[in-house]
Amino acid sequence: ISLIQKSACIICLTAISWLIAGCQSFGSNNQFMQGQQWEILPTQNNPIARHEAGFVELNKKLYLLGGRRINPTSVFDTTTQTWSNKAKTPIELHHFQPIAHDGLIYIIGAMTGQWPNETPVDKVIIYNPELDTFHYSHPIPKHRQRGGAGAVFYNDKIYLIGGITQGHMTGYVPWFDEYDPKTGTWRALPDAPHARDHFQATVVDDQLFALAGRTTSKATQQDMALTIRHGNVYDFKQNRWLPVTDGLAIPTPRAGNSAIAWEGMVILGGGESMAQKEAHNDVEVWNSKTRTWHRWPSLKRGRHGTGFGIVDGYLYTASGSGNRGGEPELFSIERLALPTHSQLVNLNKTTYDTQKVDAEKPVFKQFHKVSLQFQGSDTSENASDNPFLNYRLDVTFKQGKTTKRVRGFYAADGNAAETSASNGRMWQVNFVPPTTGEWSYSAKLFHSPNIALNPATQNTPHIPLINAKGRFLVERSDKTGRDFRAKGLLIAEDGFFKFKHSGEYWLKAGANSPENLLGYVDFDQTYRIATQNRDGEAVAPTSIHRFAPHLNDWKTGDPTWQGNKGKSLIGAINYLSSKGMNTAYFLTLNLLGDGKDVWPYRTPEERDRFDVSKLAQWDIVFQHMQKKGVLLHMVLQETENETLLDNGDTGPLRQLYFHELIARFGYHRGLVWNLGEENGPAPWSPVGQTTEQRKAMAQFLKENDPYQHPVILHTHGEDTLRDTMLTDLTGFEYLDGLSLQEAERERTYKVIEHWKKASQAKGKEWLISMDEIGQWHTAVLPDNQDPDHPTLRSDVLWGSLLSGAAGIEWYFGAKHPHNDLTSEDWRQRDRLWELSNIARTFFEQHLPYWEMAPNRSLINHSKAYCLAKENEQYALYLPAVQGAALDLSHATGEFTVRWYDPLKGGDLQVGSVNNVTAGTPQILGKPPYGLNQDWVVLVTRNKPNL
């Protein structure tokens, strides 16, 4: 889409939004300010021209601070209409909203440095006008530093909202923080509904307003295009963000604008956008009493990157940039006489229509969680009338011809993660809208014996719900990078992971251990049942997980529950993600299994009643995993408990279990349903499920999951235990692939190739992930016992991926410290994560791996691997070997040879041979260094000159 088209879209959306919201009160130009206009003041001298600066009133003087370059502070005396220059800022300071308080001016949340790679300032800076000095004050926490944020003063505290962490490149955030200027105490508050930067915030009547702004993304060449239409309001009295509605959509989307509060109103002026080259001169006012927008007289000169100040009944602005971008920088100052008392009375006469306001459409974002709560009958987890069995919340979401039916769940008091409530009257549904635009919903709470297991009919009794029907708007996601809220639904297609909406392919790499990740001390009613250890499994400790080594990985602003609970597990997820890993394997039910510390039920003995607060706490962690780009590899059972529910059938107990997991967690975009760990009979667990029972589970999940997440099966590690079972499952339409276990690492590529071909032959190619490498007792040792992991690196990591695997996970074994059940510290395998990330990065940056096939016959070494797109590109893994040759007999043209270091990663490098000619086997030469180490070689056909 061209920039012109984007601008047109923005204008069109604005017009549509006002037609939807009923904005006839807007547009009657200045009817309450007849004849009043802005005036540019003649001054005896000029300030230092600047933009991206701070402009603020203090003691009836106007201060212009900072801006691009290191500038003097320019002060305007409104009585004499003269400018004077004062002290320079200690460093270059720009993109901040100054706060004037108690005779001082606070600069908080500023940037420094050159466009577009500016950095956030790490301290609060204070200007003392009386002494004409700047000094550094309290530090800003490392993980909350940003610039371009809105700042307000309220009840002796400064509040910082939004901003961007990486200059103009990327990193816009929805952060909300409280700073105490007296003590330096910093507190992260709940994120705003929208991320935004390049805007100013205000406070009106105990409410903070964040309006306008954008999500700056020079990294995608969208510096100014992604303006934010909808405003966010934080209510200090209620300590919460109010729901976003379309009624607060800004009439003219823009960023870099000025904002100020006055007499119950928010005044917005100036700014920049892709809609026009000149800076905006629009002045638009939100009246919080009448909940309407009004247009005020336009600025004489459009400008952005400055601010507003009010002195003696006049609204002032000065300097800034006259066009979008950085120039021309302006000298002028202008003012507008504010409405008189009688004009203000007329302005506030608009009737506040409660029904109209209640009807304003909520606003959500594409691929983000839409959570709706409904009030039903008062009940509890242990009520005789079982709420999990005899109630059923069904919600239908519609957009045009698209219909999504989603099941809800019992939510106790609606806040059980924090309260540990087991009773209440709240029911909830979680939905992820796949498209933008307007959606409608309708909900019914059915109440009838066993209705959770049976389809509802028109005659099924139901409980009336308030707000059972409604509409909401969906706008584009404001997330970027690995966050699944930026990418949408991950599906399985033709043997690989792929994002349904963008078509982007995704390669998995991460942790297969500890399998009892959810056996965590901070989850409600979580403990270990006495275990009986057997040969062939990890020995379970007496205590459950604390993950204490990861406590310091928790960052300010990360989620917790009930005070400080959850920090160490959230920190562990942060660490794993920071190493480039994007998946974590965990069981949701391990009763009778190895750990015996994870179950979703009220008690380990129950099978039809769930622990509402525990599951809500699980979901806090799951939401954070999705934010950090970590796939939920959700394993539904162990080999020891395959027949625990309904003797292995998908009967009433298993259906209830699956329904609860789908309803609560199915909305997550990056999720895989794994039918069970080591599924099928084995010598240590001879009673297992049958092929028909496996098929029934897979079919039930596919037919009841509205998002159609991939369904896979974890295998045993030997051919004798898995071959017949898997052969019977090839071609089955509801099974998407295998979570592969292999006892012998050197057989990895053979097993993957075999089942890829076997499934292809039956018409449904399996997605195969190498998830558990043996031997069972050793598997993946910590770094200090196996530095650089040579056999894992060669036979398993590169051997799997170059054989067509869709990803890899690392299993920690059973008979050493930090094993599959006892591991508390993912750092014990820090080097392994690095090696895995090096491999994943190579595939993502250099290969269309989904179009390639393994072909080891093309390379003249038995320990080498080759993935090929014939006559176009070949990726080879070579052990420490000289004279490797690639058979290009069936190819044509010239090929470039480049080398990639699987130990260090980095850029492609040139070896002793730069190019080879197809038609015969070709010697690839020597690597750039490291003749005795393994290398990856990329051989790519040169494109003909056009």
Side-chain angles (χ1 to χ4, degrees):
I1 300 176
S2 70
L3 296 179
I4 294 175
Q5 288 173 314
K6 288 178 182 176
S7 301
C9 288
I10 292 170
I11 296 169
C12 181
L13 284 172
T14 302
I16 292 172
S17 72
W18 282 106
L19 288 174
I20 293 173
C23 65
Q24 55 268 33
S25 61
F26 183 82
S28 51
N29 189 30
N30 314 329
Q31 57 183 336
F32 53 90
M33 296 178 70
Q34 290 290 342
Q36 295 178 203
Q37 295 184 355
W38 288 83
E39 56 175 333
I40 294 181
L41 297 178
T43 59
Q44 297 180 11
N45 48 10
N46 290 320
I48 302 297
R50 68 192 82 196
H51 74 295
E52 310 302 359
F55 184 73
V56 68
E57 180 271 337
L58 178 62
N59 296 329
K60 296 192 176 183
K61 291 184 179 180
L62 298 167
Y63 291 81
L64 194 57
L65 306 98
R68 294 287 188 184
R69 306 171 306 278
I70 297 178
N71 297 311
T73 300
S74 296
V75 184
F76 185 72
D77 188 321
T78 57
T79 59
T80 63
Q81 296 190 7
T82 58
W83 286 98
S84 59
N85 289 324
K86 302 293 183 179
K88 292 183 178 180
T89 56
I91 59 173
E92 182 180 23
L93 294 171
H94 44 75
H95 291 87
F96 61 92
Q97 183 177 2
I99 297 294
H101 169 63
D102 199 20
L104 302 174
I105 298 175
Y106 290 81
I107 298 173
I108 181 170
M111 296 186 200
T112 189
Q114 300 297 305
W115 180 89
N117 295 304
E118 303 94 338
T119 57
V121 177
D122 63 356
K123 293 181 178 65
V124 177
I125 297 176
I126 299 176
Y127 175 63
N128 187 324
E130 184 176 347
L131 301 178
D132 191 26
T133 57
F134 287 88
H135 72 271
Y136 291 100
S137 185
H138 302 115
I140 298 172
K142 179 179 179 182
H143 301 300
R144 306 299 280 189
Q145 295 170 10
R146 72 274 203 184
V152 300
F153 185 84
Y154 177 81
N155 280 3
D156 297 324
K157 304 289 196 308
I158 294 174
Y159 293 85
L160 200 65
I161 171 66
I164 189 165
T165 62
Q166 300 177 47
H168 283 71
M169 295 302 295
T170 188
Y172 42 82
V173 293
W175 297 345
F176 184 40
D177 298 270
E178 178 190 85
Y179 162 68
D180 187 331
K182 293 181 180 178
T183 65
T185 303
W186 193 280
R187 185 164 67 106
L189 301 174
D191 285 350
H194 286 81
R196 71 183 75 220
D197 57 79
H198 283 75
F199 77 106
Q200 294 184 348
T202 57
V203 173
V204 174
D205 297 333
D206 300 310
Q207 292 184 334
L208 181 151
F209 286 79
L211 305 173
R214 66 187 187 223
T215 50
T216 306
S217 182
K218 174 64 177 173
T220 57
Q221 301 304 313
Q222 293 172 295
D223 308 45
M224 305 180 193
L226 304 178
T227 50
I228 305 297
R229 294 181 59 241
H230 293 100
N232 298 153
V233 181
Y234 185 81
D235 192 304
F236 285 105
K237 295 296 186 183
Q238 301 182 51
N239 294 318
R240 69 182 183 100
W241 289 100
L242 301 183
V244 180
T245 66
D246 201 46
L248 199 57
I250 184 172
T252 307
R254 52 215 151 108
N257 57 287
S258 303
I260 198 167
W262 179 75
E263 295 291 344
M265 289 176 277
V266 180
I267 305 172
L268 299 179
E272 61 181 345
S273 75
M274 292 306 299
Q276 59 190 60
K277 179 180 178 180
E278 289 188 351
H280 286 270
N281 63 358
D282 309 87
V283 178
E284 294 161 347
V285 178
W286 171 258
N287 189 321
S288 63
K289 294 182 175 64
T290 63
R291 296 180 64 80
T292 53
W293 283 99
H294 296 273
R295 185 181 295 280
W296 278 20
S298 298
L299 296 167
K300 287 292 186 181
R301 183 65 168 94
R303 63 186 78 218
H304 72 87
T306 179
F308 280 148
I310 294 175
V311 179
D312 292 336
Y314 284 93
L315 175 64
Y316 289 85
T317 189
S319 197
S321 178
N323 292 333
R324 67 169 180 250
E327 56 185 14
E329 291 184 324
L330 305 176
F331 294 95
S332 60
I333 181 169
E334 54 183 302
R335 70 180 185 181
L336 173 72
L338 291 167
T340 64
H341 176 73
S342 60
Q343 290 172 327
L344 191 60
V345 170
N346 291 332
L347 179 61
N348 290 330
K349 280 183 178 178
T350 306
T351 303
Y352 178 68
D353 186 340
T354 303
Q355 290 184 343
K356 176 184 175 183
V357 172
D358 289 344
E360 288 180 352
K361 297 179 184 68
V363 179
F364 300 100
K365 291 190 275 292
Q366 184 183 19
F367 308 139
H368 290 227
K369 175 183 180 182
V370 173
S371 187
L372 304 176
Q373 289 194 344
F374 305 92
Q375 185 171 297
S377 299
D378 196 13
T379 183
S380 70
E381 293 173 357
N382 61 354
S384 57
D385 187 5
N386 188 338
F388 305 101
L389 183 63
N390 299 330
Y391 289 79
R392 172 172 168 169
L393 175 64
D394 283 348
V395 184
T396 301
F397 296 89
K398 290 185 177 181
Q399 184 189 60
K401 297 181 179 180
T402 299
T403 299
K404 298 283 187 181
R405 292 182 175 86
V406 183
R407 182 179 288 217
F409 55 91
Y410 177 55
D413 66 350
N415 191 31
E418 293 294 335
T419 64
S420 294
S422 60
N423 62 282
R425 58 194 314 152
M426 301 308 297
W427 294 77
Q428 183 171 320
V429 67
N430 295 331
F431 174 62
V432 171
T435 55
T436 59
E438 182 174 312
W439 286 79
S440 66
Y441 68 88
S442 59
K444 278 193 174 182
L445 180 60
F446 297 100
H447 184 205
S448 179
N450 298 319
I451 189 59
L453 303 175
N454 300 303
T457 68
Q458 290 184 343
N459 297 323
T460 303
H462 65 275
I463 296 172
L465 297 173
I466 298 174
N467 298 326
K469 294 184 178 182
R471 295 179 180 274
F472 57 87
L473 296 176
V474 177
E475 60 184 11
R476 63 171 180 83
S477 174
D478 60 352
K479 303 305 176 187
T480 59
R482 296 174 58 190
D483 192 326
F484 281 107
R485 293 172 297 175
K487 297 179 177 294
L489 183 64
L490 190 68
I491 62 172
E493 184 170 290
D494 298 329
F496 292 98
F497 288 109
K498 180 181 180 180
F499 287 105
K500 179 178 180 180
H501 297 87
S502 69
E504 174 188 351
Y505 285 85
W506 183 88
L507 197 66
K508 184 178 79 162
N512 188 263
S513 297
E515 67 177 32
N516 60 340
L517 185 74
L518 300 180
Y520 176 54
V521 67
D522 285 350
F523 291 134
D524 283 357
Q525 294 300 311
T526 299
Y527 52 90
R528 173 159 291 115
I529 302 171
T531 60
Q532 293 180 343
N533 299 310
R534 62 167 176 81
D535 191 30
E537 71 176 23
V539 177
T542 57
S543 61
I544 58 178
H545 288 301
R546 292 183 177 273
F547 300 114
H550 287 294
L551 184 59
N552 290 334
D553 293 313
W554 184 90
K555 300 177 181 178
T556 304
D558 285 341
T560 59
W561 58 91
Q562 297 184 5
N564 288 321
K565 286 186 177 181
K567 282 188 172 182
S568 57
L569 180 50
I570 294 296
I573 299 302
N574 287 345
Y575 167 76
L576 194 68
S577 177
S578 74
K579 303 304 294 185
M581 298 297 93
N582 59 13
T583 181
Y585 175 108
F586 56 86
L587 287 155
T588 53
L589 178 63
N590 68 6
L591 294 174
L592 307 183
D594 296 348
K596 300 179 179 64
D597 51 8
V598 178
W599 57 87
Y601 307 112
R602 289 183 67 250
T603 69
E605 293 76 28
E606 292 179 287
R607 303 289 180 266
D608 62 354
R609 295 173 184 271
F610 299 93
D611 190 324
V612 173
S613 64
K614 177 195 288 187
L615 297 183
Q617 290 161 0
W618 283 10
D619 202 38
I620 293 173
V621 177
F622 295 164
Q623 289 181 65
H624 190 68
M625 291 170 71
Q626 297 283 280
K627 175 182 177 181
K628 305 302 288 187
V630 177
L631 175 80
L632 309 178
H633 188 167
M634 197 171 291
V635 189
L636 303 177
Q637 59 185 357
E638 284 192 270
T639 189
E640 295 90 349
N641 64 22
E642 290 176 33
T643 59
L644 176 66
L645 304 177
D646 308 309
N647 293 317
D649 290 338
T650 304
L653 296 180
R654 192 177 300 274
Q655 288 181 36
L656 276 180
Y657 173 49
F658 285 177
H659 275 313
E660 191 73 14
L661 295 184
I662 292 170
R664 284 184 167 275
F665 310 130
Y667 75 93
H668 290 295
R669 285 92 357 197
L671 180 149
V672 167
W673 303 116
N674 190 324
L675 297 179
E677 184 181 63
E678 295 178 330
N679 193 262
W684 61 87
S685 182
V687 178
Q689 288 180 298
T690 67
T691 295
E692 292 309 311
Q693 288 174 326
R694 293 182 198 96
K695 288 183 175 180
M697 286 193 298
Q699 182 171 349
F700 183 89
L701 287 167
K702 284 291 189 180
E703 290 180 345
N704 289 276
D705 176 5
Y707 302 100
Q708 299 289 287
H709 292 293
V711 175
I712 62 176
L713 178 73
H714 187 260
T715 73
H716 286 294
E718 298 83 24
D719 291 340
T720 55
L721 295 176
R722 68 186 171 213
D723 276 11
T724 300
M725 177 183 72
L726 295 186
T727 298
D728 291 342
L729 291 171
T730 53
F732 183 55
E733 61 180 309
Y734 299 111
L735 184 66
D736 295 304
L738 302 180
S739 174
L740 183 65
Q741 180 185 178
E742 171 52 47
E744 305 295 337
R745 55 190 66 182
E746 64 271 12
R747 295 188 69 248
T748 299
Y749 82 95
K750 290 182 179 179
V751 177
I752 293 172
E753 284 189 289
H754 171 75
W755 291 112
K756 292 284 281 189
K757 290 178 180 179
S759 60
Q760 285 175 345
K762 289 294 186 73
K764 183 177 175 63
E765 182 178 354
W766 274 345
L767 175 156
I768 301 178
S769 175
M770 181 61 247
D771 287 345
E772 184 171 336
I773 194 64
Q775 291 275 339
W776 67 269
H777 45 74
T778 306
V780 177
L781 291 169
D783 292 342
N784 62 3
Q785 298 181 51
D786 189 19
D788 283 336
H789 306 277
T791 59
L792 291 176
R793 189 175 71 248
S794 59
D795 292 326
V796 186
L797 178 57
W798 289 94
S800 296
L801 298 181
L802 291 173
S803 298
I808 191 162
E809 292 177 354
W810 298 112
Y811 164 71
F812 293 173
K815 295 297 183 180
H816 54 82
H818 311 289
N819 65 40
D820 185 38
L821 292 178
T822 66
S823 176
E824 295 283 288
D825 185 4
W826 274 325
R827 274 191 178 82
Q828 296 295 324
R829 294 167 176 85
D830 187 86
R831 179 59 173 153
L832 184 64
W833 311 131
E834 291 178 351
L835 295 169
S836 303
N837 190 50
I838 287 169
R840 183 188 60 80
T841 300
F842 173 80
F843 272 73
E844 290 180 351
Q845 291 184 353
H846 301 295
L847 297 183
Y849 57 87
W850 55 92
E851 298 176 350
M852 305 175 79
N855 191 344
R856 297 186 78 195
S857 66
L858 296 176
I859 189 73
N860 66 338
H861 194 280
S862 61
K863 291 290 186 179
Y865 302 101
C866 176
L867 191 68
K869 185 176 182 181
E870 297 285 350
N871 204 33
E872 289 192 29
Q873 194 169 53
Y874 304 82
L876 315 173
Y877 175 86
L878 303 178
V881 61
Q882 303 283 330
L886 174 65
D887 188 354
L888 294 175
S889 300
H890 300 288
T892 59
E894 295 286 327
F895 286 76
T896 299
V897 179
R898 294 292 181 266
W899 297 75
Y900 183 77
D901 190 336
L903 290 167
K904 298 179 181 177
D907 296 330
L908 298 177
Q909 303 180 56
V910 179
S912 63
V913 173
N914 190 41
N915 292 284
V916 293
T917 302
T920 60
Q922 294 291 311
I923 301 296
L924 300 177
K926 299 178 181 179
Y929 57 85
L931 295 178
N932 296 319
Q933 72 164 65
D934 47 331
W935 281 90
V936 176
V937 186
L938 184 65
V939 182
T940 306
R941 192 172 189 268
N942 297 335
K943 294 181 180 180
N945 293 326
L946 299 179

